[in-house]
Amino acid sequence: MATPREPQKANYDAIVIGAGIQGSFTAYHLAQRHKDTLLLEQFFLPHSRGSSHGQSRIIRSAYPQEHYSRMIPDSFHLWQQLEAEAGTRLYRKTGLVLLGPAGDPELEAYRRSLGADQVLDAVALAQLFPGFRLQTGEVAVFDSTAGVLFADRALRAVQELFRRHGGTLRDGEKVLCIEPGAVVTVTTTAGVYRAPRLIITAGSWTGPLVERLGLRLPLQPLRISVCYWREKQPGSTGTGSVSPCFLTLGLSQAPHGIYGLPAIEYPGMVKVCHHHGRPIDPEKRDQAPPDTSHPDIGLLSSFISSYLPRLEPQPAVMETCLYTNTPDEDFILDRHPKFSNIVIGAGFSGHGFKFAPVVGKLLCELSLGEEPSHSLAPFTITRFPGVLKVAL
């Protein structure tokens, strides 16, 4: 259902382009800070054209990179705050099993990030979680803090709270033109708006938007197959009410990693996906149906037969999602190199949803000229050479 039309107004304290989870949290933090904020979305809400739709995402403490491991406690805390303010449940604790070859450097880095000493062999893992079967020479590490975020519910909650704090959300308005200046002018298909600060969080559409501002960011939209696999016997993949999430590391047959979530979205169906996809023009994202002959499906079927034998080896439901990857798979959270009142959040590379509350806070702080609450050194635009291409 489309967002109810707000009274037309031209001038704001801040404009945010893109009402996915990152943009919605950015707008929410600005509205919390009593900034009169306009949140623009090109599609009518709710929609499934971008990266924030769907019912579930993984949240975990295990992160080998220090910049993410420092941010994740803040993100957990902010998710809890949002739950309390919205009065609705947004998180379910399930735990996360990390699977990989014994001694794998990446798996060891994850283990160290948790401070975990215990490594589970095949027997110990099967006792805890009978749905999993390790192969010879492989082990598992367990992140007990991890769980599932209810994605659609979270997106609705943060948008509703943004409006409750006085924010304006206008959907079905595609941005046609951005004019930089001390006051930025944004022209859409339905109006012209002005603000002294602009934040761009347009997902896979960020690249074309910022190219008009003289930036060529190395952003690659990917179309991801999101697959659900039926349990041979409902409830058989875990003990108790729900099985854990999982993530593979260092498996030769899945160099980009495979991840899975328990049977929460569709009863009796486990979500298992390859953390990789095919390059795509986001404007054409919905033109082709999921391709059941794609090599990813064969890779996943083989993985499930070997590691999750309690699931049927062919997908029961197939959907799609967009990732927008950077070359190093780290986010972009930075000011425009030439226009300091334009802030960009992009390239969340398929692992940004869990960080959305803290990303929104950081983008809010950047736009207000405040000292960021976390170091943004890993997320600068200038780490990519030659991005400033056009003199405006």
Side-chain angles (χ1 to χ4, degrees):
M1 186 172 67
T3 305
R5 292 287 89 182
E6 306 273 358
Q8 188 79 0
K9 176 183 166 180
N11 299 307
Y12 293 87
D13 295 330
I15 298 172
V16 180
I17 299 175
I21 196 66
Q22 313 293 351
S24 295
F25 261 111
T26 302
Y28 163 77
H29 282 290
L30 284 161
Q32 268 196 324
R33 303 284 291 276
H34 309 292
K35 300 301 177 185
D36 187 9
T37 303
L38 171 65
L39 176 58
L40 292 170
E41 170 55 48
Q42 65 174 321
F43 302 114
F44 287 106
L45 296 170
H47 71 83
S48 60
R49 298 288 302 276
S51 304
S52 296
H53 65 282
Q55 295 180 50
S56 62
R57 297 292 190 280
I58 295 172
I59 185 168
R60 53 187 162 95
S61 294
Y63 254 98
Q65 303 95 332
E66 285 188 18
H67 46 281
Y68 293 123
S69 64
R70 286 194 297 264
M71 290 166 64
I72 198 66
D74 193 11
S75 203
F76 266 104
H77 175 67
L78 289 168
W79 278 116
Q80 290 166 355
Q81 281 190 345
L82 186 74
E83 275 192 322
E85 188 178 356
T88 188
R89 189 180 184 192
L90 302 176
Y91 164 70
R92 182 170 183 175
K93 187 175 180 179
T94 64
L96 170 80
V97 175
L98 298 149
L99 309 172
D104 178 76
E106 191 178 10
L107 184 61
E108 281 298 297
Y110 274 90
R111 183 187 62 78
R112 288 193 298 271
S113 77
L114 291 169
D117 294 325
Q118 185 181 18
V119 175
L120 306 174
D121 61 16
V123 174
L125 181 65
Q127 287 175 342
L128 277 176
F129 306 113
F132 292 91
R133 184 169 67 194
L134 288 174
Q135 308 304 299
T136 303
E138 295 174 351
V139 294
V141 173
F142 185 58
D143 178 355
S144 63
T145 69
V148 175
L149 292 168
F150 302 132
D152 281 346
R153 192 184 301 178
L155 185 61
R156 287 194 302 271
V158 70
Q159 290 172 352
E160 176 55 36
L161 290 171
F162 163 66
R163 287 196 291 257
R164 200 181 299 174
H165 285 289
T168 301
L169 173 55
R170 298 186 66 88
D171 62 351
E173 292 199 28
K174 185 177 179 66
V175 171
L176 302 176
C177 180
I178 300 169
E179 299 172 52
V183 174
V184 183
T185 301
V186 177
T187 302
T188 75
T189 49
V192 179
Y193 310 100
R194 298 175 181 86
R197 54 187 64 83
L198 171 69
I199 303 93
I200 299 173
T201 52
S204 292
W205 288 264
T206 298
L209 273 179
V210 301
E211 192 157 0
R212 303 175 204 170
L213 300 171
L215 280 182
R216 291 185 185 170
L217 297 180
L219 298 172
Q220 178 61 71
L222 299 176
R223 186 171 181 268
I224 307 298
S225 297
V226 180
C227 302
Y228 298 83
W229 310 75
R230 195 180 306 278
E231 295 173 323
K232 293 175 180 176
Q233 293 183 330
S236 65
T237 55
T239 54
S241 59
V242 69
S243 62
C245 303
F246 73 85
L247 181 66
T248 73
L249 304 163
L251 298 185
S252 59
Q253 65 267 45
H256 299 283
I258 293 171
Y259 65 92
L261 294 89
I264 290 176
E265 295 188 38
Y266 297 105
M269 294 189 200
V270 175
K271 182 177 179 178
V272 182
C273 310
H274 190 205
H275 190 66
H276 191 57
R278 286 180 287 184
I280 191 171
D281 177 350
E283 294 292 348
K284 300 176 181 177
R285 176 238 191 272
D286 288 333
Q287 291 182 8
D291 183 0
T292 56
S293 67
H294 188 260
D296 279 356
I297 307 304
L299 180 152
L300 290 170
S301 293
S302 176
F303 171 83
I304 282 167
S305 295
S306 298
Y307 289 83
L308 300 169
R310 297 187 181 194
L311 299 182
E312 298 288 351
Q314 293 299 321
V317 175
M318 291 183 60
E319 299 171 352
T320 59
C321 188
L322 289 181
Y323 285 5
T324 306
N325 280 27
T326 60
D328 57 12
E329 297 191 356
D330 281 332
F331 312 155
I332 291 172
L333 307 173
D334 203 357
R335 296 184 180 91
H336 189 292
K338 187 173 180 181
F339 309 114
S340 61
N341 62 341
I342 298 178
V343 172
I344 299 164
F348 295 100
S349 302
H351 68 112
F353 198 101
K354 65 182 74 65
F355 290 104
V358 70
V359 163
K361 183 171 74 167
L362 288 166
L363 294 174
C364 169
E365 291 165 345
L366 271 179
S367 73
L368 297 176
E370 299 175 352
E371 183 69 24
S373 49
H374 296 274
S375 170
L376 295 182
F379 309 120
T380 60
I381 287 172
T382 53
R383 75 184 190 267
F384 303 115
V387 293
L388 196 58
K389 291 289 186 182
V390 182
L392 294 182

